[in-house]
Amino acid sequence: MAEAFSNQFRLSITKALGDQLAEELAKLMPAPLTREHLDELDRQAEVENLASRSGVYQLYRQVPGAPKRELVYVGKADKPLSQRLGNHLKKISGRRNISIDEISFKCLYVAEDFSAVAPEKLLIKRYKMDGGIPWNTNGFGNKDPGRNRDTTVLKKNHFDVLHPIDLDRPIGGLAVAEQPLAKLLEQVKDSSPYNFRYEESQIYQDISVEAPATTLTADDAFRLIASHLPEGWQVTALMGYVIMYRDHQRDYASAFRYYHGDEVHDADPKLKAAGKIEEDAEAEAGEG
């Protein structure tokens, strides 16, 4: 049989860009995900006079006893990289079965004219082919799903199931003085390492409360809040965040603790079998 003397070649610009991004990231060493390193990113951007502080990043996890760190997530930041990474720092710091000390990162500032080719999607496609970046497909990047999704039954491989919120984490910045409940709610929301969403109501201005200390565990803070709420209200700790509504003791599939007045009840969350997890549109693109 005669040897082929012709063939077809299709140039893939996007693959070439993805490969170049991966090669540049491979030259970098992961740094611990700490506030100090994020502040250093901001100083670097100022020194180099970067017009845009957006870019792509990778998160790594080094589980104690594991032979090497694992690439777990690829994301992008349209806002400053330090801000997006700071959101992840806060989120992981408030979770169980994981320590922020296990997490490191590396990142690239990407010129604005590359935004049209979605550089993070190129990286995600590349690493998914190798079976990597498990957090890009387990709900890690999802933001607050909103009231309509509070009743969702999570799958066993969801990030919130593997690493549920930690109610023993401290919440600081509380005022030790009599104040409207509205003020305490704001303080807890701002200082909590996970999302605390609650129903808007004028009654918060009419209820006086005083925190016993400037720092409480999240559990103690929610106990204090619930004890001052009128009958019919409840604070609910879901696997990934906390909500507060006039629920009349409503049950939530992914709840593991309820606060009703002075009473606290633990629950066993319902779970679905492990499987593909629906990602937010932004999270799927790495914006999370």
Side-chain angles (χ1 to χ4, degrees), residues 58 71-74 120-139 276-281 283-286:
Q58 296 175 339
L71 174 60
V72 294
Y73 191 75
V74 172
E120 80 292 345
K121 289 186 178 180
L122 303 178
L123 289 170
I124 290 172
K125 183 177 181 180
R126 176 189 175 95
Y127 293 119
K128 276 186 176 179
M129 291 174 58
D130 299 330
I133 52 174
W135 288 6
N136 278 88
T137 55
N138 76 350
K276 184 178 180 180
I277 295 172
E278 181 182 351
E279 299 274 320
D280 289 347
E284 192 173 66

Side-chain angles (χ1 to χ4, degrees), residues 46-280:
E46 291 178 3
V47 169
E48 298 182 10
N49 195 27
L50 297 178
S52 172
R53 301 187 184 188
S54 61
V56 293
Y57 61 89
Q58 296 175 339
L59 295 182
Y60 292 81
R61 185 184 183 192
Q62 175 74 62
V63 178
K68 63 178 182 178
R69 63 169 61 97
E70 177 187 12
L71 174 60
V72 294
Y73 191 75
V74 172
K76 71 169 182 177
D78 291 331
K79 300 177 181 179
L81 278 165
S82 60
Q83 182 176 330
R84 179 64 60 197
L85 288 164
N87 291 341
H88 293 325
L89 169 62
K90 180 179 179 180
K91 179 173 185 174
I92 297 170
S93 295
R95 299 296 177 129
R96 289 181 279 162
N97 308 325
I98 194 170
S99 169
I100 194 61
D101 295 335
E102 302 170 6
I103 308 301
S104 55
F105 76 98
K106 58 173 69 171
C107 61
L108 283 176
Y109 290 107
V110 180
E112 289 184 4
D113 57 354
F114 274 79
S115 60
V117 298
E120 80 292 345
K121 289 186 178 180
L122 303 178
L123 289 170
I124 290 172
K125 183 177 181 180
R126 176 189 175 95
Y127 293 119
K128 276 186 176 179
M129 291 174 58
D130 299 330
I133 52 174
W135 288 6
N136 278 88
T137 55
N138 76 350
F140 168 74
N142 288 355
K143 298 178 174 62
D144 182 3
R147 184 63 170 151
N148 292 333
R149 299 286 292 276
D150 291 343
T151 56
T152 299
V153 179
L154 301 179
K155 295 180 179 178
K156 292 182 178 179
N157 56 320
H158 196 287
F159 183 85
D160 291 344
V161 174
L162 300 173
H163 306 290
I165 61 173
D166 187 355
L167 294 176
D168 292 328
R169 291 299 173 97
I171 292 180
L174 307 180
V176 185
E178 188 171 330
Q179 61 182 325
L181 177 60
K183 292 293 185 181
L184 178 62
L185 291 174
E186 292 175 2
Q187 294 163 18
V188 172
K189 183 177 180 66
D190 291 342
S191 300
S192 175
Y194 30 81
N195 190 52
F196 174 36
R197 172 167 32 90
Y198 50 87
E199 180 180 342
E200 296 293 333
S201 177
Q202 179 60 37
I203 67 168
Y204 305 148
Q205 297 291 345
D206 303 326
I207 299 174
S208 295
V209 62
E210 181 177 344
T214 57
T215 299
L216 299 174
T217 65
D219 181 65
D220 286 336
F222 294 130
R223 287 173 186 264
L224 177 64
I225 291 169
S227 68
H228 285 76
L229 290 172
E231 185 176 355
W233 286 73
Q234 76 176 14
V235 178
T236 307
L238 305 174
M239 302 294 281
Y241 53 101
V242 178
I243 59 177
M244 187 181 83
Y245 288 96
R246 269 177 291 202
D247 276 326
H248 302 289
Q249 301 190 6
R250 179 179 179 180
D251 291 331
Y252 290 87
S254 65
F256 68 91
R257 184 165 297 171
Y258 296 97
Y259 302 83
H260 302 126
D262 294 324
E263 298 181 357
V264 178
H265 305 284
D266 288 336
D268 293 322
K270 298 177 182 177
L271 299 175
K272 291 181 180 178
K276 184 178 180 180
I277 295 172
E278 181 182 351
E279 299 274 320
D280 289 347

